[in-house]
Amino acid sequence: MKLYIFEDFAINNLVPITYTRPGFEIRCGTFTCIERLIRNLPKARISLIVRESIAEFVREKYPEFDVNPRNIEDGIWMLGNVLWLKKDIDYIVKSNTQVFKNENKIIAANLNAKEGIDWINKGGPLKNRTLNKDFSTKKLSSRVINYLWDVVLHNPSQISEDYFFFKNEENKNDFEKKNVIAPERIYADPLSHINSNVILDATNGEIIIEKHAIIKSFSYIEGPAFIGENTLILPYSYLRQGTSIGPFCNISGELSQTIIQSWTNKSHYGYLGHSYIGEWVNLGAGTTSSNLKNNYSDIRIIINGSIINTKIKKLGCFIGDYSKTSIGTCLNTGTVIGPSCNIVTKILPPKFLPPFTWFINDKSSKYEWDSFINSMEIIRKRKGMILSNHEEAMIKNIYFDF
């Protein structure tokens, strides 16, 4: 079966995360969207349809997949930023219906080669909202991620849904010396390490702990929660309901219904609530985000220059890849920080900071390119990695766009 996973015309509504990555890499629950599709369709031959500005970087990250292929085959097309339900995937695979929608947008299609080529020649899903109006259509129930706060909202239930992939795994982790509540709803990989005096409370939802994750003593993990591979949870940490921590992170302090992509450090005290944090982010000691206004009004967020009423009472911050905060940084409700920002301030920064902002004590300037690249190379070297030419070129394109 041929599968095309695509971005669409609304991809820019998912900034700041999609400045530097495709929409199908958004993490919600236990997996990124593409990881969930691969698990559900393990035998599919996959091609990826993305913006040309990130195409070379995506090719480097996914060498096993075709990216923006020239040759289009008969196949299934699926929108990447959707929380796909297995029942919907199974229906699409077996159905003769041609177009599938939710929230009045195309989220999947069964197209033959000619129909796929025609769509691409007209700009494809990144430029077109519609397909042939004569196609048969059906509404599905898989949830579309239109904005990053949708991820925050759905994360607790998505963790519980993703537990399906772990509930039949053999759970050999020794819970004897731990304080465990509802162990039947906890999966801890046998190669994870949970110290004594850790509380795992799955009363309100499942807890999933992947291999080589380490949870230090006196931490409290409240389900639903996900802790990714090789992530370190430091002593006295409190992970409240609905939190997902991706792989290779260092985490301390208190988090509530927060998603951290991967490779990010929050190694000190401080609170993050109802927030989404990208990759290669470093949060200085005491960095704290407000997630509730004093007057309990709806939180408004600036996206692409427009102020959007989310109609949500609790939202924290949204921080793009490669950004950093200094010690004691406080962030207002609904703050959006673009990728590659550096924040050093004793006062609240603006609620929107564009990419490459150097914000120091109420003054904004543009991060110097050479200084930024030097910093990134040092960070990667500390992890035994390098900054690839394709990743640097992608970031450089963003730098000169702002």
Side-chain angles (χ1 to χ4, degrees):
M1 186 191 78
K2 184 64 180 179
L3 173 64
Y4 296 92
I5 303 174
F6 65 88
E7 297 186 309
D8 75 354
F9 57 90
I11 191 66
N12 290 333
N13 290 338
L14 294 168
V15 294
I17 296 302
T18 54
Y19 279 124
T20 49
R21 64 186 60 254
F24 50 72
E25 282 195 349
I26 288 172
R27 181 175 297 280
C28 186
T30 301
F31 307 110
T32 63
C33 293
I34 191 171
E35 288 171 346
R36 189 174 294 106
L37 277 173
I38 292 170
R39 279 182 173 257
N40 277 292
L41 297 168
K43 296 182 180 180
R45 295 179 296 111
I46 295 175
S47 290
L48 307 174
I49 309 296
V50 301
R51 292 155 285 162
E52 282 298 332
S53 61
I54 64 170
E56 288 300 326
F57 180 48
V58 174
R59 287 189 181 97
E60 182 178 65
K61 293 185 76 173
Y62 299 96
E64 70 274 31
F65 302 147
D66 288 333
V67 178
N68 294 350
R70 293 183 179 180
N71 297 319
I72 303 297
E73 307 174 32
D74 297 354
I76 295 173
W77 296 64
M78 301 182 75
L79 179 60
N81 52 293
V82 172
L83 300 175
W84 283 105
L85 297 170
K86 188 178 186 305
K87 66 174 185 177
D88 282 351
I89 295 172
D90 292 344
Y91 184 85
I92 293 168
V93 171
K94 297 174 182 177
S95 176
N96 292 322
T97 303
Q98 290 173 291
V99 174
F100 304 87
K101 293 185 174 183
N102 194 10
E103 300 183 25
N104 203 33
K105 71 186 301 184
I106 296 170
I107 61 172
N110 277 314
L111 302 178
N112 62 36
K114 182 181 182 305
E115 292 162 345
I117 291 168
D118 287 345
W119 199 19
I120 291 296
N121 287 342
K122 292 176 183 177
L126 281 160
K127 293 187 178 179
N128 288 282
R129 296 172 182 263
T130 61
L131 275 163
N132 189 321
K133 62 183 179 182
D134 295 327
F135 285 166
S136 58
T137 64
K138 179 176 176 59
K139 183 179 179 181
L140 299 178
S141 54
S142 294
R143 295 170 297 202
V144 181
I145 302 170
N146 292 306
Y147 297 95
L148 283 181
W149 52 84
D150 295 330
V151 183
V152 174
L153 182 66
H154 297 313
N155 202 57
S157 60
Q158 191 62 49
I159 295 171
S160 294
E161 289 178 23
D162 287 342
Y163 191 72
F164 165 83
F165 293 100
F166 298 89
K167 65 181 181 181
N168 294 324
E169 296 277 349
E170 189 174 5
N171 197 347
K172 294 182 178 179
N173 206 296
D174 179 15
F175 290 133
E176 285 187 14
K177 297 181 181 179
K178 290 88 181 176
N179 296 314
V180 176
I181 304 170
E184 70 279 3
R185 303 176 78 181
I186 299 172
Y187 172 77
D189 188 279
L191 295 179
S192 63
H193 184 75
I194 304 169
N195 286 6
S196 59
N197 298 309
V198 168
I199 297 176
L200 302 176
D201 183 358
T203 301
N204 296 311
E206 292 78 4
I207 297 173
I208 302 163
I209 303 167
E210 289 199 320
K211 64 182 179 180
H212 305 304
I214 299 173
I215 305 178
K216 295 288 190 176
S217 296
F218 309 111
S219 293
Y220 186 105
I221 314 297
E222 189 175 59
F226 167 68
I227 299 169
E229 177 182 351
N230 283 288
T231 279
L232 170 64
I233 307 297
L234 291 157
Y236 298 97
S237 297
Y238 180 19
L239 272 59
R240 297 169 67 176
Q241 294 180 37
T243 293
S244 290
I245 310 297
F248 296 95
C249 294
N250 292 336
I251 301 298
S252 184
E254 181 180 357
L255 294 90
S256 175
Q257 204 160 324
T258 288
I259 301 96
I260 297 182
Q261 189 81 17
S262 60
W263 293 102
T264 280
N265 288 340
K266 182 194 177 303
S267 301
H268 308 281
Y269 69 95
Y271 175 73
L272 288 178
H274 298 77
S275 298
Y276 194 112
I277 313 298
E279 285 189 3
W280 300 104
V281 174
N282 190 78
L283 302 178
T287 295
T288 292
S289 173
S290 167
N291 66 338
L292 180 67
K293 297 174 72 172
N294 286 346
N295 61 4
Y296 303 95
S297 60
D298 293 345
I299 294 171
R300 289 170 168 79
I301 293 181
I302 300 172
I303 298 291
N304 299 318
S306 298
I307 299 175
I308 299 175
N309 184 351
T310 66
K311 299 182 180 179
I312 299 173
K313 306 297 183 188
K314 277 192 172 185
L315 280 177
C317 60
F318 301 87
I319 302 179
D321 297 342
Y322 319 119
S323 285
K324 303 178 184 67
T325 65
S326 68
I327 59 172
T329 299
C330 292
L331 303 172
N332 213 333
T333 52
T335 295
V336 176
I337 298 171
S340 312
C341 292
N342 193 21
I343 301 171
V344 183
T345 180
K346 296 179 181 178
I347 64 172
L348 290 172
K351 290 190 66 173
F352 175 77
L353 290 175
F356 293 96
T357 298
W358 187 289
F359 186 81
I360 300 181
N361 293 329
D362 202 27
K363 293 183 179 180
S364 293
S365 59
K366 191 169 184 178
Y367 211 148
E368 292 184 2
W369 174 252
D370 289 343
S371 177
F372 168 76
I373 286 299
N374 181 60
S375 175
M376 285 301 304
E377 289 174 345
I378 291 171
I379 291 168
R380 294 296 171 91
K381 189 175 181 180
R382 283 164 55 92
K383 299 289 186 179
M385 303 169 70
I386 61 170
L387 181 67
S388 74
N389 291 335
H390 290 309
E391 185 173 6
E392 182 176 340
M394 177 199 64
I395 300 169
K396 195 170 188 177
N397 286 337
I398 300 168
Y399 184 85
F400 287 105
D401 279 345
F402 284 90

